[in-house]
Amino acid sequence: MKSNSIKVATILVAALIIPVAATCQQSASTGNASGSSNAVLYYPSSQVSAGFEKGGALFDGKDRNYTVMTAHREKSGPATAELHERDTDVFYVVDGSATFVTGGKMLDGKSTGPNEVRGSGIDGGDTHQLNKGDVIIIPAGVPHWFKEVPKSVSYFVVKVIKP
């Protein structure tokens, strides 16, 4: 069952990337940057599965205007709220569920790097119950927050970076 979820997620991420890739500078090969302007990126299921175990970038966005990441969160209380001033996040939930808040006012927001703000939570906003198969798109400048993860959640993230 998990293998099918990963296959579906991979297809969805590819479908999301194609329009982005068509408008950005191309220069990557099988998982690594190269000089080819028409290179295709391919990640075998073993690499994708390993990505969900540790989290992090599958593709780091080198020379393109997007990154592709795998993420996994275990049961927890509220996580850090985030606001990306230049990045739009596209999440695809592969497995699990979470209570996710978007919009509202970030609490205790502090700059943590260029164009990145983190805070202790969100006041107000819209609450979404994310479940396996769901997609949520968070535009640049919108605070977002994993308020609760009851068991665990695994998700793909495509970050589209505004120039």
Side-chain angles (χ1 to χ4, degrees):
M1 184 69 93
K2 195 171 193 174
S3 175
N4 287 339
S5 295
I6 290 171
K7 287 177 186 173
V8 169
T10 303
I11 291 167
L12 177 63
V13 168
L16 292 169
I17 289 174
I18 288 169
V20 172
T23 62
C24 68
Q25 183 180 0
Q26 307 280 316
S27 66
S29 64
T30 359
N32 299 311
S34 74
S36 174
S37 63
N38 292 322
V40 171
L41 299 172
Y42 168 73
Y43 299 91
S45 63
S46 59
Q47 189 175 357
V48 175
S49 295
F52 280 115
E53 289 177 21
K54 64 180 179 169
L58 279 176
F59 176 69
D60 66 6
K62 183 174 171 48
D63 299 326
R64 298 195 189 187
N65 70 336
Y66 63 90
T67 61
V68 179
M69 301 166 31
T70 54
H72 179 81
R73 294 177 186 262
E74 289 294 324
K75 180 179 180 172
S76 71
T80 303
E82 302 180 0
L83 181 145
H84 314 296
E85 294 173 354
R86 295 180 53 203
D87 300 350
T88 293
D89 284 345
V90 181
F91 290 5
Y92 172 73
V93 180
V94 175
D95 196 33
S97 65
T99 303
F100 191 71
V101 179
T102 58
K105 182 179 185 262
M106 182 178 287
L107 303 173
D108 306 314
K110 293 178 180 71
S111 179
T112 59
N115 305 303
E116 296 291 326
V117 179
R118 301 288 187 269
S120 61
I122 293 178
D123 183 32
D126 298 313
T127 301
H128 310 272
Q129 185 59 45
L130 300 182
N131 295 294
K132 179 180 176 178
D134 290 347
V135 171
I136 188 163
I137 301 170
I138 307 105
V142 175
H144 50 285
W145 177 44
F146 279 93
K147 183 175 181 179
E148 182 184 15
V149 178
K151 292 182 182 175
S152 69
V153 64
S154 295
Y155 54 103
F156 270 103
V157 181
V158 177
K159 286 187 166 293
V160 182
I161 305 159
K162 271 198 260 186

